Amino acid sequence: MIAAPAPKDDYGENLAGASILVIDDEPGMRNFLTKILTPRCKRVEQAASPDEASRILDKAHFDLVILDNIMPNRTGLEWLREQGRVGFFADTILITAYADLETAITALRAGVADFVLKPFRANQILNAVARALDRKYLRRENYLLKHELSSESVARGRLLGKSLAIEGTREMLHRLAPLPTPVLFTGASGTGKEIAARTLHSLSDRAEKPFVAVNCAAIAPDRVGQELFGLIDAHNNRKDGLFLHADGGTLFLDEVAQMPDQVQAALLRVLEEKRIRPVGAEREIPLNLRFLFATNANLEQAVQAGTFRADLYHRINVVQIAMPNLRDRAEDIVELAAMFMEQFATSLGMPPLDLNEETLLKFSRYDWPGNVRELRNLIERSVILGAFPDEFSGSGPVSGTRAIETLDLVTQRHIMHVLDACDGNRAEAARRLGVSRKTIDRKCASWGV
């Protein structure tokens, strides 16, 4: 059912994006609820009986169910208990004209979010719906926040840099942002795969929805399934997984090479059918997710070794973005160092260290095997200790913005980096730089090299 333009009254932004199923055997009540909800919600459907509602839920997922309790054959609460065994993933508001303490207790035990007595006015049910949805999304936000805080590290910040390598990555992210296509980020540890994934999410039309990052290597193999897909336990208690919490947004699966075989098979099915089945549930849930993946392993070798499914590899490897090593984007090292220095001086409440010309030159000539993460950790550690380690300390007369931006110093850092890459071979360095050997000799002489 297509929603009409929302009325001017305001029951919260969660109502506008909600999908709601109305279950009542009385046509008048169904039509009344549908009439007041449809202009305010994304989708509203109705069912005249519990059996019809079950068939609808087998095909579609709803954020909220408004359920009449007294209906022919069985009560709404009896139906709700049955659904718990099958897999029921919506919040529920119970409406009834016959209220007593026992019914209220039973409703709370069944997980009903609210209890509305008939007869009620439009604003009463709308307020109840708005409250239920607000609580639902608050629980989701709290869950995702706890998940993020429990992660060993959370990638933050922008995708900085002006090097050709990072500009190419940035351009690809802009091209992919409006598309639903899965993306596989590859590259060594510390190259910024999660930051690139967050950047892609922020550029997409899902930017206001959740971005959920999952490190597959950080979850115990026997718990990966229920953490991702959710769980219906032996007592019909429901625990939503990260897939459902991320619904509408972006799910970023890092270190996918560490995913257990059984979960690989389940993930392949999710990617193909866009539906999940929580552990212990009979019913599947349709999903609206953008999938992003990352690994620092060679997945082709993992496929050949039999540790990663070939069909899953081909399904996630639609578009691959290889994140460059920091040594291959040496032009960005100084900018990154300056940003990290400002960040940590502010967050730690400690004075920033002097980024002088000698220190920045040493930064540019270092190989950074740990990539951007190693640079970040070095800056944080140095701010805490109040000094750079000996191999990076310097006492050059030029520092701060002048050391970062002065053309001769920028040129020196670049030429020395290329010379290091050529093992000191000046002729090869001149060829790569597109200048004469004499130019290299003259510059090196002026720098005392």
Side-chain angles (χ1 to χ4, degrees):
M1 186 175 293
I2 299 175
K8 291 184 178 180
D9 50 18
D10 183 15
Y11 290 94
E13 60 183 16
N14 291 326
L15 182 62
S19 56
I20 299 177
L21 176 61
V22 175
I23 309 172
D24 198 306
D25 61 310
E26 298 179 13
M29 180 56 70
R30 290 199 310 274
N31 293 333
F32 167 70
L33 290 170
T34 301
K35 182 179 179 180
I36 63 172
L37 289 169
T38 297
R40 297 173 170 88
C41 301
K42 181 180 179 181
R43 177 167 59 101
V44 179
E45 294 189 30
Q46 56 176 267
S49 68
D51 290 337
E52 184 182 357
S54 299
R55 291 192 294 270
I56 292 173
L57 287 172
D58 286 339
K59 297 177 182 178
H61 172 64
F62 293 86
D63 298 305
L64 184 69
V65 167
I66 300 178
L67 175 66
D68 184 31
N69 190 36
I70 306 302
M71 291 184 285
N73 300 323
R74 60 190 184 280
T75 66
L77 289 175
E78 289 171 343
W79 174 81
L80 196 58
R81 283 194 293 269
E82 293 172 6
Q83 293 303 300
R85 292 189 288 271
V86 177
F88 184 76
F89 307 99
D91 283 17
T92 307
I93 292 177
L94 190 73
I95 56 175
T96 182
Y98 306 96
D100 55 54
L101 182 60
E102 184 179 352
T103 301
I105 293 173
T106 305
L108 291 173
R109 288 176 176 171
V112 169
D114 209 342
F115 195 99
V116 180
L117 295 177
K118 295 180 181 179
F120 49 78
R121 295 186 299 274
N123 68 311
Q124 288 178 283
I125 193 67
L126 287 171
N127 281 320
V129 168
R131 285 195 305 269
L133 291 169
D134 288 345
R135 287 195 296 266
K136 176 186 180 74
Y137 286 105
L138 182 60
R139 288 197 307 270
R140 179 167 86 164
E141 289 172 9
N142 288 339
Y143 181 91
L144 293 178
L145 180 60
K146 289 178 182 178
H147 166 74
E148 194 166 274
L149 292 174
S150 69
S151 301
E152 292 183 2
S153 63
V154 179
R156 290 297 188 199
R158 297 165 291 154
L159 196 63
L160 291 180
K162 300 181 180 68
S163 62
L164 289 176
I166 209 66
E167 286 288 5
T169 299
R170 194 178 286 115
E171 180 185 354
M172 182 62 76
L173 294 177
H174 278 275
R175 291 178 62 184
L176 293 170
L179 307 176
T181 309
V183 179
L184 173 63
F185 294 89
T186 60
S189 179
T191 50
K193 296 185 289 294
E194 184 175 336
I195 287 179
R198 287 181 181 272
T199 301
L200 179 58
H201 171 74
S202 70
L203 294 170
S204 74
D205 58 1
R206 299 173 182 266
E208 300 302 317
K209 299 295 184 179
F211 175 93
V212 179
V214 182
N215 186 339
C216 299
I219 305 175
D222 60 340
R223 290 185 55 83
V224 174
Q226 65 187 61
E227 289 289 333
L228 293 180
F229 297 96
L231 173 70
I232 302 292
D233 66 17
H235 303 289
N236 299 329
N237 296 315
R238 166 188 132 209
K239 178 186 176 184
D240 294 341
L242 289 167
F243 277 28
L244 192 57
H245 281 296
D247 193 32
T250 300
L251 186 73
F252 174 65
L253 294 174
D254 197 4
E255 303 299 351
V256 288
Q258 305 296 321
M259 191 176 289
D261 292 344
Q262 184 178 1
V263 180
Q264 288 184 35
L267 175 60
L268 178 64
R269 189 160 179 255
V270 171
L271 293 173
E272 290 176 343
E273 300 181 6
K274 299 293 189 294
R275 302 174 74 87
I276 61 167
R277 176 177 293 170
V279 177
E282 299 177 23
R283 176 178 286 138
E284 294 184 332
I285 313 169
L287 281 182
N288 172 22
L289 273 179
R290 172 82 178 269
F291 284 92
L292 305 178
F293 308 92
T295 182
N296 59 13
N298 187 319
L299 286 184
E300 289 186 3
Q301 291 181 1
V303 170
Q304 293 172 2
T307 59
F308 198 82
R309 293 178 63 107
D311 48 4
L312 179 57
Y313 170 66
H314 293 302
R315 188 67 182 78
I316 70 176
N317 190 32
V318 179
V319 177
Q320 186 175 140
I321 295 180
M323 297 300 295
N325 291 321
L326 186 55
R327 64 175 175 268
D328 298 325
R329 44 181 294 213
E331 309 97 299
D332 300 332
I333 291 173
V334 170
E335 181 183 359
L336 289 166
M339 181 197 71
F340 291 144
M341 183 62 69
E342 181 181 356
Q343 281 183 352
F344 287 118
T346 302
S347 64
L348 298 174
M350 304 182 77
L353 302 184
D354 182 30
L355 290 173
N356 59 64
E357 57 182 292
E358 288 187 9
T359 293
L360 293 178
L361 180 59
K362 290 178 179 180
F363 279 171
S364 296
R365 299 185 68 179
Y366 181 61
D367 199 43
W368 299 108
N371 295 293
V372 179
R373 184 178 295 131
E374 182 182 3
L375 173 61
R376 182 181 185 276
N377 292 345
L378 170 73
I379 298 292
E380 181 177 14
R381 184 166 58 251
S382 299
V383 169
I384 292 171
L385 298 177
F388 290 113
D390 292 342
E391 61 267 34
F392 292 107
S393 62
S395 57
V398 182
S399 63
T401 302
R402 287 181 58 219
I404 294 171
E405 297 180 354
T406 299
L407 181 59
D408 189 51
L409 294 178
V410 173
T411 302
Q412 180 188 18
R413 289 192 290 266
H414 184 57
I415 290 178
M416 294 307 299
H417 173 76
V418 174
L419 269 172
D420 291 338
C422 298
D423 296 322
N425 187 323
R426 294 188 180 185
E428 174 61 18
R431 187 192 67 79
R432 293 189 186 185
L433 290 166
V435 299
S436 69
R437 165 67 186 268
K438 288 183 179 180
T439 299
I440 299 293
D441 291 339
R442 188 171 62 253
K443 288 290 186 182
C444 287
S446 70
W447 299 325
V449 178

